[in-house]
Amino acid sequence: MELEFIGEIFYWRGPSPFHFVTVPEAESAEIHAIAREVTYGWGAIPVDGRIGDTAFTTSLFPRDGGYVVPIKDAVRRAEDVDDGDVVTVLLTVRPRR
């Protein structure tokens, strides 16, 4: 499954600080429909992602009935984006190993 969407980068200061982009409702519903087939535990969904020219591997985290994409510092630096910036995210859901 491949998905492309636009979202704003936000900073979450929780116990493990990180930057995220929220997956929109429609795309979250598509992911949720196949989640049981691809999750490797506690609802995390393995994905390959791309923002601009930068490819990365991560896992979507469940949040508020949808999902969020963690955006690594290396990706933000490479693409010169930060908290509050709007980005286009391309995701490919990876099969469970």
Side-chain angles (χ1 to χ4, degrees), residues 58-88:
T58 192
S59 294
L60 305 179
F61 298 158
R63 181 172 183 220
D64 298 331
Y67 297 94
V68 293
V69 184
I71 308 300
K72 299 173 182 180
D73 290 343
V75 173
R76 290 185 309 104
R77 280 192 298 270
E79 294 299 320
D80 193 27
V81 294
D82 206 349
D83 186 28
D85 289 338
V86 175
V87 295
T88 299

Side-chain angles (χ1 to χ4, degrees), residues 24-46:
E25 191 174 313
E27 287 82 354
S28 285
E30 290 182 50
I31 295 165
H32 185 71
I34 65 164
R36 294 187 123 205
E37 300 168 29
V38 296
T39 187
Y40 57 82
W42 56 273
I45 307 291

